[in-house]
Amino acid sequence: MVTSTLQRVVLVAKHASFQSRCCVVSSRVQYSTVYDSNEKTFDKILIANRGEIACRVMKTCKKMGIKTVAVHSDVDASAVHVKMADEAVCVGPAPTNKSYLNMDAIMDAIRKTGSQAVHPGYGFLSENKEFAKRLAAEDVVFIGPDTHAIHAMGDKIESKLLAKAANVNVIPGFDGVVEDAVKIAGEIGYPVMIKASAGGGGKGMRIAWNDDETREGFRLSSQEAASSFGDDRLLIEKFVDNPRHIEIQVLADKHGNALWLNERECSIQRRNQKVVEEAPSTFLDPETRRAMGEQAVQLAKAVQYSSAGTVEFLVDSNKNFYFLEMNTRLQVEHPITECITGLDLVQQMIRVAKGFPLLHKQEDIPINGWAIESRVYAEDPYKSFGLPSIGRLSQYQEPINLPKVRVDSGIQEGSDISIYYDPMISKLVTYGATRAEALQRMEDALDNYVIRGVTHNIPLLREIITHPRFISGDITTNFLPEEYPEGFKGHQLTSEGRRELVATAAALYVSAQLRSQRFLVKVEVSGEWNLASALLPVTINRTPRVLQCLSRDAGGDITLQYLGTQFKVRVLSQLVSTLSAHMPEKVPEDTSSILRSPMPGSVVAVSVKPGDVVAEGQEICVIEAMKMQNSLIAAKAAKVKSVHCKAGETVGEGDLLVQLE
């Protein structure tokens, strides 16, 4: 309800202009990607992947005049990547082990379509040496490194030994296969990192600060590793406190040439998975950048690497850096490197796979401007910074009308986000001459991104990129838990922001009633109100903003997406407001006595039965969602009254799992 106490508010958002002292920004790109039609590579490429990365590879193939073949599961029959390809072959039902990981079916698709080469994207079979061997046996080119490099770098234990031999800085730890985790952790010294030997993407990783956490982390990481990679071997190494996660993009050919294409800062993470990345890093100076780049190339040459790959490092506060792992594939965040170098990495991979030498020298590689990538997920950011959400995109509109915005996606309005695959909706990329410019464009792009039908993480992304600490460049991999120790709660409104929100909701309400366009209620709100549009460009006290009206009803309830976060506002007449005070309120459910599933997933294990007495914090069950293991615990000490799930069952968000007395 709008009252006379509303005051005029002027809210000016200012971002500090942060230019890394190490970065030489040229006034123009030194070169740009040229697609030479006379340079023959392949006639037809099969993309052994799905979603946005399959679409991304197809776009470059189309520019190079190469025909493409999509593979898909039965539930993906109408997916965007299937429609984009020249041909498409179904390789099995929805579960990944029966479709996108089904090597026999994919090999049949290659033979059936006469594909000369395969691009694996990332995930699935991208780092599977057996798949690469099977392709080679049938004279089909694998667009990636040779099998020996995949094998060497795919095993964290072997890769660490090779890195040592190549004079690459490594983290102290235990190099063998772990048998007694507690003993080894004690010898290394806490905290330690427990990691799946064959892992990647944050799966099979846990930090342990004591013996009990080591035992639990070893068990969960082992299960997660077996589920995700079919290999439950683990390793343990010293955990670098307050680290930055900075990676170097490398590119090498089959003629002994190798380049480093600058760095990407990937420190903003949740559960060891990246959320926001940028290139270049605000932290590196020219000397550290060069040292990291040279060591990355040393490692690539040591394993005779050929293709695009990424060497990941942990960097401490004194700029000491340590080898973490090498990903022998294209990275999710490769677009930001493309933005600052002018290179098309997919094109480079295809050229190298055909046997062409690299066209550029190390001195040719620029840092031109700044690029930011936000990973837009179908996730609930209010639960552990992002637990998966499933559903159908009832409305979907990408902000590609804005300048210097790139959206890599593989979905469209009407697409389903299912439990079977990664919950990524898109990679939202913005770039500019300076970091401040790229950040402002990211803020605008997030405000103009329309996603309805699933819960998404735009509220978290927007809070990150507008956070003073992020803007200053003072970040580590601990950023989220440090800044939101009680969990993410959405944008916290100031009194001025609250007045803006209420005034806008009131203006929207009156606009719907009277179809007016301009309102003055102490806070000035104006705009061209198109109530059928998903986006509401408005001017609030002379400050332009873009809001989204997610819902409104005749009773005055309005849900607005404002500054990235959803807010519920009720606009009532004076009479209705007076009467509503007498309406009974619904008593919220006592969640301390029940355990509901916080996400859709499958039950991996149930640790209790009726009659058991559990302690506060004791594990009740383990739910797997998108190949991640999540341990659910008791909120209080109590006796188990009933158990409503069992291992192997699929559960939905909010399903009752266990009831306590």
Side-chain angles (χ1 to χ4, degrees), residues 521-541:
V521 282
K522 298 302 180 180
V523 174
E524 184 179 307
V525 180
S526 62
E528 295 297 325
W529 299 89
N530 181 354
L531 300 179
S533 173
L535 298 172
L536 294 175
V538 298
T539 299
I540 306 174
N541 284 344

Side-chain angles (χ1 to χ4, degrees), residues 46-319:
L46 182 143
I47 294 90
N49 217 298
R50 67 179 298 278
E52 63 85 14
I53 188 57
C55 294
R56 163 70 189 91
V57 174
M58 289 175 192
K59 288 176 183 176
T60 288
C61 288
K62 185 173 292 187
K63 292 174 182 176
M64 296 177 71
I66 302 170
K67 291 185 177 180
T68 57
V69 178
V71 294
H72 64 90
S73 65
D74 53 7
V75 300
D76 271 348
S78 299
V80 173
H81 78 281
V82 175
K83 297 175 182 177
M84 185 180 291
D86 295 294
E87 300 175 62
V89 180
C90 183
V91 290
T96 55
N97 64 332
K98 296 180 180 179
S99 52
Y100 296 105
L101 292 175
N102 186 344
M103 280 189 263
D104 290 337
I106 292 174
M107 294 304 299
D108 286 342
I110 293 167
R111 298 184 198 103
K112 183 186 301 183
T113 59
S115 299
Q116 300 163 316
V118 171
H119 196 300
Y122 50 74
F124 293 141
L125 298 172
S126 63
E127 295 176 286
N128 189 302
K129 62 182 182 294
E130 295 304 320
F131 182 56
K133 285 180 181 177
R134 290 186 64 171
L135 293 174
E138 299 200 21
D139 292 325
V140 177
V141 176
F142 179 73
I143 302 176
D146 294 335
T147 54
H148 70 273
I150 297 174
H151 173 77
M153 293 294 99
D155 187 297
K156 285 186 170 63
I157 296 172
E158 184 175 347
S159 66
K160 189 174 179 181
L161 295 174
L162 285 167
K164 277 185 180 179
N167 295 318
V168 176
N169 304 342
V170 298
I171 301 172
F174 181 72
D175 296 329
V177 177
V178 175
E179 293 181 356
D180 189 337
V182 172
K183 180 182 177 183
I184 292 171
E187 291 171 352
I188 295 172
Y190 288 110
V192 297
M193 175 72 84
I194 302 167
K195 299 197 295 188
S197 177
K203 297 180 176 69
M205 296 177 66
R206 295 288 188 285
I207 300 168
W209 296 81
N210 53 52
D211 290 354
D212 288 340
E213 290 185 5
T214 297
R215 291 188 188 93
E216 182 185 21
F218 190 87
R219 176 177 64 85
L220 291 171
S221 290
S222 221
Q223 292 173 355
E224 213 166 79
S227 172
S228 297
F229 314 112
D231 184 344
D232 65 357
R233 293 177 303 146
L234 301 176
L235 60 84
I236 299 180
E237 61 190 20
K238 182 70 176 176
F239 176 66
V240 179
D241 209 4
N242 295 317
R244 286 176 177 259
H245 187 138
I246 300 177
E247 59 192 26
I248 301 292
Q249 175 73 58
V250 295
L251 180 64
D253 62 22
K254 300 178 186 297
H255 304 276
N257 303 306
L259 306 170
W260 48 274
L261 307 182
N262 303 309
E263 80 281 2
R264 296 185 289 254
E265 171 93 48
C266 307
S267 297
I268 304 298
Q269 304 180 1
R270 51 99 176 94
R271 300 191 305 279
N272 299 308
Q273 290 184 312
K274 302 161 189 173
V275 180
V276 176
E277 302 104 344
E278 62 182 303
S281 168
T282 62
F283 188 60
L284 296 191
D285 53 55
E287 292 74 23
T288 307
R289 173 182 291 111
R290 186 179 307 109
M292 292 176 71
E294 289 174 352
Q295 287 199 15
V297 166
Q298 284 169 208
L299 181 59
K301 289 185 174 181
V303 293
Q304 298 178 319
Y305 196 84
S306 61
S307 194
T310 300
V311 181
E312 302 194 349
F313 294 95
L314 287 182
V315 185
D316 69 18
S317 57
N318 295 316
K319 294 190 174 71

Side-chain angles (χ1 to χ4, degrees), residues 4 472 532:
S4 60
S472 73

Side-chain angles (χ1 to χ4, degrees), residues 6 22 64 76 93 107 110 147 156 224 228 279 333 394 397 463 532 602 612-613 619 642 657:
L6 288 173
C22 65
M64 296 177 71
D76 271 348
M107 294 304 299
I110 293 167
T147 54
K156 285 186 170 63
E224 213 166 79
S228 297
E333 57 273 20
S394 58
Q397 184 177 316
E463 285 300 296
S602 58
D612 287 353
V613 175
E619 181 179 283
S642 58
L657 303 176

Side-chain angles (χ1 to χ4, degrees), residues 8-28:
R8 180 178 295 273
V9 178
V10 178
L11 183 62
V12 180
K14 293 184 179 179
H15 290 304
S17 178
F18 190 103
Q19 177 62 52
S20 173
R21 59 183 178 278
C22 65
C23 180
V24 179
V25 179
S26 61
S27 59
R28 59 184 177 85

Side-chain angles (χ1 to χ4, degrees), residues 379-421:
E379 291 182 337
D380 186 343
Y382 302 99
K383 297 177 180 177
S384 299
F385 299 110
L387 293 183
S389 170
I390 62 173
R392 175 165 294 179
L393 293 169
S394 58
Q395 195 170 6
Y396 184 73
Q397 184 177 316
E398 296 173 349
I400 53 176
N401 60 307
L402 301 179
K404 296 189 178 179
V405 172
R406 168 176 169 176
V407 182
D408 283 17
S409 68
I411 48 90
Q412 61 187 3
E413 194 164 287
S415 292
D416 285 312
I417 307 295
S418 76
I419 193 174
Y420 298 108
Y421 310 119

